[in-house]
Short mmCIF file of all heavy atoms in Angstrom, two decimals:
data_model
loop_
_atom_site.label_atom_id
_atom_site.label_comp_id
_atom_site.label_asym_id
_atom_site.label_seq_id
_atom_site.Cartn_x
_atom_site.Cartn_y
_atom_site.Cartn_z
N LEU C 195 1.35 25.75 -11.47
CA LEU C 195 1.88 26.72 -10.36
C LEU C 195 1.41 26.32 -9.09
O LEU C 195 2.13 26.27 -8.01
CB LEU C 195 1.45 28.05 -10.81
CG LEU C 195 1.63 29.20 -9.95
CD1 LEU C 195 3.00 29.45 -9.44
CD2 LEU C 195 1.19 30.52 -10.66
N SER C 196 0.19 26.01 -8.98
CA SER C 196 -0.55 25.82 -7.62
C SER C 196 -0.06 24.40 -7.05
O SER C 196 -0.04 24.15 -5.74
CB SER C 196 -1.93 25.82 -7.68
OG SER C 196 -2.32 27.09 -8.32
N ILE C 197 0.31 23.54 -7.88
CA ILE C 197 0.86 22.20 -7.42
C ILE C 197 2.22 22.28 -7.00
O ILE C 197 2.66 21.66 -5.94
CB ILE C 197 0.67 21.16 -8.59
CG1 ILE C 197 -0.82 20.79 -8.75
CG2 ILE C 197 1.42 19.84 -8.20
CD1 ILE C 197 -1.09 19.82 -9.93
N TYR C 198 3.07 22.98 -7.71
CA TYR C 198 4.52 23.09 -7.40
C TYR C 198 4.83 24.18 -6.27
O TYR C 198 5.83 24.12 -5.69
CB TYR C 198 5.31 23.31 -8.71
CG TYR C 198 5.45 22.05 -9.50
CD1 TYR C 198 5.06 21.98 -10.85
CD2 TYR C 198 5.84 20.87 -8.96
CE1 TYR C 198 5.11 20.80 -11.51
CE2 TYR C 198 6.02 19.70 -9.63
CZ TYR C 198 5.57 19.73 -10.90
OH TYR C 198 5.68 18.45 -11.62
N LEU C 199 3.81 24.98 -6.08
CA LEU C 199 4.03 25.93 -5.00
C LEU C 199 4.25 25.26 -3.57
O LEU C 199 5.29 25.68 -3.02
CB LEU C 199 2.72 26.89 -5.01
CG LEU C 199 2.77 28.04 -3.91
CD1 LEU C 199 3.80 29.10 -4.21
CD2 LEU C 199 1.32 28.73 -3.96
N PRO C 200 3.38 24.41 -3.18
CA PRO C 200 3.63 23.74 -1.88
C PRO C 200 4.87 22.92 -1.83
O PRO C 200 5.66 22.76 -0.89
CB PRO C 200 2.38 22.95 -1.63
CG PRO C 200 1.45 23.04 -2.70
CD PRO C 200 2.03 24.12 -3.66
N ARG C 201 5.14 22.35 -3.10
CA ARG C 201 6.34 21.46 -3.12
C ARG C 201 7.56 22.29 -3.01
O ARG C 201 8.66 21.98 -2.34
CB ARG C 201 6.31 20.80 -4.52
CG ARG C 201 7.41 19.78 -4.74
CD ARG C 201 7.34 19.05 -6.15
NE ARG C 201 8.58 18.31 -6.49
CZ ARG C 201 8.56 17.04 -6.73
NH1 ARG C 201 7.35 16.45 -6.85
NH2 ARG C 201 9.60 16.36 -7.01
N ASN C 202 7.61 23.41 -3.69
CA ASN C 202 8.69 24.42 -3.55
C ASN C 202 8.86 24.81 -2.06
O ASN C 202 9.93 25.02 -1.53
CB ASN C 202 8.60 25.48 -4.49
CG ASN C 202 9.71 26.57 -4.51
OD1 ASN C 202 10.70 26.29 -5.15
ND2 ASN C 202 9.63 27.61 -3.60
N ALA C 203 7.76 25.03 -1.49
CA ALA C 203 7.69 25.47 -0.07
C ALA C 203 8.29 24.50 0.91
O ALA C 203 9.25 24.76 1.68
CB ALA C 203 6.30 25.77 0.42
N ARG C 204 7.96 23.18 0.59
CA ARG C 204 8.55 22.10 1.38
C ARG C 204 10.10 22.00 1.23
O ARG C 204 10.91 21.80 2.14
CB ARG C 204 7.95 20.72 1.05
CG ARG C 204 6.57 20.50 1.70
CD ARG C 204 6.16 19.19 1.49
NE ARG C 204 5.80 18.72 0.07
CZ ARG C 204 4.88 18.91 -0.63
NH1 ARG C 204 3.78 19.48 -0.05
NH2 ARG C 204 4.68 18.54 -1.81
N ALA C 205 10.50 22.25 -0.05
CA ALA C 205 11.97 21.96 -0.27
C ALA C 205 12.76 23.11 0.38
O ALA C 205 13.74 22.87 0.97
CB ALA C 205 12.12 22.22 -1.78
N LEU C 206 12.22 24.28 0.42
CA LEU C 206 12.80 25.47 1.06
C LEU C 206 12.82 25.24 2.55
O LEU C 206 13.84 25.41 3.19
CB LEU C 206 12.11 26.75 0.63
CG LEU C 206 12.55 27.97 1.32
CD1 LEU C 206 14.11 28.25 1.18
CD2 LEU C 206 11.85 29.27 0.71
#
Side-chain angles (χ1 to χ4, degrees):
Chain C
L195 169 55
S196 302
I197 288 173
Y198 285 123
L199 179 66
R201 185 178 172 125
N202 184 86
R204 284 191 296 273
L206 177 50

